[in-house]
Amino acid sequence: MDLSHLIAVARGGEPADLVLRNARLVDVLSSDIRTTDIAIAGTAVAGVGRGYRGRETVDLKGRYVCPGFIDAHVHLESSLVCPREFARAVVPRGVTTVVADPHEITNVAGAAGIRFLLRDAARAPLQLFVNVPSCVPATRLATSGAALTAAEFEPLFSDPRVLGLGEVMDFRGVVAGDSRVLAAIAAARGRPLDGHAPGLGGRELNAYVAAGIGSDHECTSAEEAREKLRLGMTIFIREGSAARNLSALLPLVTPQTERRLCFCTDDRQPADLLEEGSIDFLVRRAIAGGVPPLAAIRMATLNPAEHYRLSDRGAVAPGRRADLVVFGDLGDVRPELVYSGGVLAARDETPVGPAREEGTAEPDTRVRGTVRVDWSRTEFRIPANGSRMRVIGIVPDQINTGSLVLPPSVVDGFAVADPERDLLKIAVIERHRASGRTALGFVKGMGLKEGAIAGTVAHDHHNLIVIGADDASMETAARAAAASGGGQTVAVGDRVLAMLPLPIAGLMSEEPIERVREGVRSLAGAARSLGSPLRDPFMTMSFLGLEVVPALKITDLGLVDVEAHAIIPLFAEK
Amino acid sequence: MDLSHLIAVARGGEPADLVLRNARLVDVLSSDIRTTDIAIAGTAVAGVGRGYRGRETVDLKGRYVCPGFIDAHVHLESSLVCPREFARAVVPRGVTTVVADPHEITNVAGAAGIRFLLRDAARAPLQLFVNVPSCVPATRLATSGAALTAAEFEPLFSDPRVLGLGEVMDFRGVVAGDSRVLAAIAAARGRPLDGHAPGLGGRELNAYVAAGIGSDHECTSAEEAREKLRLGMTIFIREGSAARNLSALLPLVTPQTERRLCFCTDDRQPADLLEEGSIDFLVRRAIAGGVPPLAAIRMATLNPAEHYRLSDRGAVAPGRRADLVVFGDLGDVRPELVYSGGVLAARDETPVGPAREEGTAEPDTRVRGTVRVDWSRTEFRIPANGSRMRVIGIVPDQINTGSLVLPPSVVDGFAVADPERDLLKIAVIERHRASGRTALGFVKGMGLKEGAIAGTVAHDHHNLIVIGADDASMETAARAAAASGGGQTVAVGDRVLAMLPLPIAGLMSEEPIERVREGVRSLAGAARSLGSPLRDPFMTMSFLGLEVVPALKITDLGLVDVEAHAIIPLFAEK
């Protein structure tokens, strides 16, 4: 952008590229709404006021204009699509900037995964920023595809799209002064450090904040959020596909506190993105919940921009990016037009432009073909070595689990799945290095009466995870999931009922998001047809491997007692 | 600061250095006031809450504690003292951080002047940040001692105490797209760019903001400030010694706008600093004017910290600097204790520690001996070359002037001062390069009946400026001002009545600020004894050389028609 041209347009000396006339401007800076014109030059707003000439003019006839929405924290891998397709879902919702924490793909592909996301997003009308994942791998209790050490941060930070440090999930490590996590913090010193401290309070929270961590998106109550706010944290109010905290946190919003509150989606699935929306959904929900529209919009725009020091956006003002959302009803913000960097990117919630360009398939082999399994060493049988075994207890719609102790169902000396008891076998197959390592266990609550489900999405290590009513179905599902470089499958016996290929890191499709939504639906439908009562069996399964959320989880190294931070045997003593 | 120690103190694992008990904490983050304890480790707050142990404990017995005040914009040369002495005046007032625009000393000594300020401040309990002066020299219509080009910014920016670009006074240059000023802006891209745009509005203001300039401290009305606020500027509400805008801008303060408002002093003289105070004075005035105390304190703390991205201060919270102000009355904030970086720096508005250390005189010759005048070529006589001459018309208590046309008083073919008509001679003697160049003119409104005043403080070029009723007095005053490396003087005939040496760059004393205040008083008293009715004749004189403020000014190159941006002759045509 030529600054002297921008200035010339602003002062009226040269025509604007585009003038939006009769905009009812939602001014998040001065908290007023007024009708005016907006002159755009290149990617930026040049001037706000009457009298600008433009090569193109659009009369908005009094419709509202606010800044493009900013998602303060999102794992875009949860959309199961690549950034360009993610953009096709969220840009029509008014989201023009997202701050992603790419810790899923980084666990698979390391820094190459981050670079892939940035490269792919560069072709979309969405500004993607990333925070460097702070916890890859999350722990030493699982095998991930890559590690990202503090020494690798500096080259990433040389990219202006890399802002700071992603959510520091190892809050216990921070509080204890663990050297690995402090090294990551030191390497990102002076940059925004994102937090993740569910339920942390008191002196432990003081310690976490003293380390320099400046935000948290895990608050589930206004009291929790207020304590964090008082200590200096910016609170990201989250409304994901699973974790939904907006209603609980609305009491926190006052004119005095609002500046320290932002919105984020954290994790949203394709159907929720396409049907509910993204940050626009939170804006509507907040307004419906009684937050003044100006405040709700500011929490989606200026506040995250200021938190991340993105001084070139977050408001409609000279010199800032022309990321603009046009809508008709302040009480029910539904984007009619979305401009991204001065270019019309969506109309009536539909992206402008094709779903994907020809010949743009990702060539980087470091994010493709990442599923490597030594099937010759894979074994699903479990010798029955006791009368009491530890079983993962699914809690519907939660990512934490119960830790149960149940007697095995034994056939021919082997502990087997027993659908009658809703006792299914679970396997985690190491899939990054073809080590052949497989951990086996049992799970209760998945509800399959027959068959199996499998997938390469398994937080955070993303090994191949399988749950089934019999070993043959498990092997069919697992092999099918692995076959196309990763994916999610449902199988019965030797028959694959449903399959969603996820060839990018085993996490993301390259297909249009609408098709991926259908794939997700058919997977869930197939799983439900096999008896699962869960709303989303695959999301539930994907968190059974997350060894940092209580109580009992499973990785390729075995069952994990999360509180004890230890691998424990399947069969309990005495 | 050892982060792991700070964390250990925060979690309660190690004792704090200091615990302030029973503090009534003014929480600018969550906008509440609550009684709690504050634990300090090293220079930082480790934890806020009950139960901390400390090697030292102070029971505040319910007195209020707020963060240290931040002056968002100050030319500390206006205090006429060095940073350490400036600190002795403002730290007891609760000011623990200032953002200085050192354009006075830079006009004399270039980057060496900036480095001197930083070096001197490093020994004070005051955190000095600087913005690189953007306009040195201000124009080509005067001779300054140094130029600072955009190419010289980068080495300065490598110092973390150098934040961004100082007030871009050449707003016309910005609006016109002048290449020199755009080069300065480009060199500071991504950093805070301070503005200076008195009265600018409409599309010209849009152009100025589009250039990336993010603040303004020149607003004199709420309407002007609101227009700037709407376009994205942070408004620094100024209450200097001369320019006082607080009352006019208070209507702007609402819960919605307050976050974009800060306080600054811009220019404050020793007496005002010692008697009224600094930012504490603005806080008291704002509260007295109806601003809620929490909001007023936030405008003095969190808001400037966030504007300048100083995320390590601005609030009392873990990990932030332990810059703390303790006071007893929320309606009349008078600091009783001031902690700077965890160390007690002032008690009852008196600094803790001596006025100055022995053997700490500034050794840098680049900021000493800066007054170089070739007296052999200095000439005060003015041949009478016409019947109508241009006269600078002083406007009391303003820095702008009128441009008058009056007949000369002629004696022996020379235009002479004529105190009966309040027509005094003014001379600007180039003093950086001993060029002997002297510009001569006349001024109305200074009111001297006899004698002369002279000084090396003359914005922004800081040449030697003299005003007098006769040439002999002018030469005496000028030579005395030059004699000790710069200063301000009053003389009659060959007798010096009062003198304040300013050996640092001809701008600052090395004496204690109390003594400098007495020097200023005796100067003003002497000038008034000679007939001047002005409140502050020396401040008025110091702005008569400022060629960027309307209407008629004088530099060493001659009379300046500010609107025409040109040197013009003393005698008017026809």
Side-chain angles (χ1 to χ4, degrees), chain A residues 84-280:
Chain A
R84 269 177 301 159
E85 279 301 316
F86 177 81
R88 287 186 65 251
V90 303
V91 171
R93 297 310 195 126
V95 178
T96 51
T97 296
V98 301
V99 181
D101 181 337
H103 82 237
E104 315 303 352
I105 196 169
T106 307
N107 264 288
V108 175
I114 299 172
R115 296 206 171 89
F116 157 72
L117 295 182
L118 290 169
R119 195 165 56 241
D120 194 70
R123 294 184 288 198
L126 173 72
Q127 296 258 299
L128 173 66
F129 293 91
V130 304
N131 285 321
V132 174
S134 62
C135 306
V136 175
T139 70
R140 295 188 183 87
L141 300 178
T143 304
S144 61
L148 192 73
T149 64
E152 292 172 87
F153 291 179
E154 203 46 47
L156 288 164
F157 285 142
S158 69
D159 187 319
R161 295 170 296 178
V162 180
L163 299 179
L165 193 64
E167 54 176 314
V168 182
M169 291 184 288
D170 186 8
F171 56 87
R172 289 183 208 291
V174 174
V175 173
D178 173 80
S179 62
R180 185 180 79 128
V181 67
L182 290 199
I185 286 170
R189 197 88 193 148
R191 295 172 172 275
L193 310 183
D194 268 7
H196 162 114
L200 202 66
R203 283 186 285 181
E204 291 194 329
L205 181 60
N206 272 280
Y208 190 68
V209 175
I213 293 164
S215 66
D216 185 81
H217 59 269
E218 295 286 344
C219 297
T220 56
S221 74
E223 295 66 39
E224 178 184 357
R226 186 173 302 280
E227 182 177 0
K228 288 174 175 170
L229 188 78
R230 282 175 164 173
L231 294 184
M233 296 185 122
T234 300
I235 305 301
F236 297 165
I237 297 176
R238 171 180 60 183
E239 194 80 353
S241 281
R244 293 177 177 246
N245 312 120
L246 188 126
S247 299
L249 299 183
L250 282 188
L252 195 67
V253 184
T254 70
Q256 284 74 32
T257 59
E258 174 239 301
R259 69 194 270 187
R260 311 196 70 76
L261 307 175
C262 303
F263 289 137
C264 77
T265 63
D266 202 6
D267 295 284
R268 288 213 138 216
Q269 295 188 311
D272 291 332
L273 286 173
L274 291 168
E275 290 150 30
E276 289 182 338
S278 171
I279 294 298
D280 61 310

Side-chain angles (χ1 to χ4, degrees), chain B residues 114-115 132-136 148-159 162 164-166 180-181 183-189 191:
Chain B
I114 300 172
R115 296 208 171 88
V132 174
S134 62
C135 305
V136 176
L148 193 73
T149 64
E152 294 171 85
F153 292 179
E154 203 46 48
L156 287 166
F157 286 142
S158 69
D159 187 320
V162 180
L165 194 64
R180 186 181 77 130
V181 65
I185 286 170
R189 198 90 194 143
R191 295 172 172 275

Side-chain angles (χ1 to χ4, degrees), chain B residues 521-566:
Chain B
R521 275 194 185 143
S522 70
L523 285 170
R528 277 193 296 267
S529 76
L530 299 180
S532 179
L534 296 178
R535 198 174 58 85
D536 190 338
F538 281 86
M539 176 172 271
T540 298
M541 178 170 71
S542 75
F543 284 107
L544 298 181
L546 183 56
E547 77 277 15
V548 296
V549 175
L552 186 65
K553 295 294 173 88
I554 184 167
T555 74
D556 63 306
L557 298 176
L559 283 173
V560 179
D561 178 335
V562 177
E563 283 299 327
H565 199 66

Side-chain angles (χ1 to χ4, degrees), chain A residues 11 32 175 230 260 306, chain B residues 11 32 175 230 260 306:
Chain A
R11 74 168 175 260
D32 61 18
V175 173
R230 282 175 164 173
R260 311 196 70 76
E306 296 202 333
Chain B
R11 75 168 177 260
D32 61 19
V175 172
R230 280 173 164 172
R260 309 194 72 74
E306 294 201 333

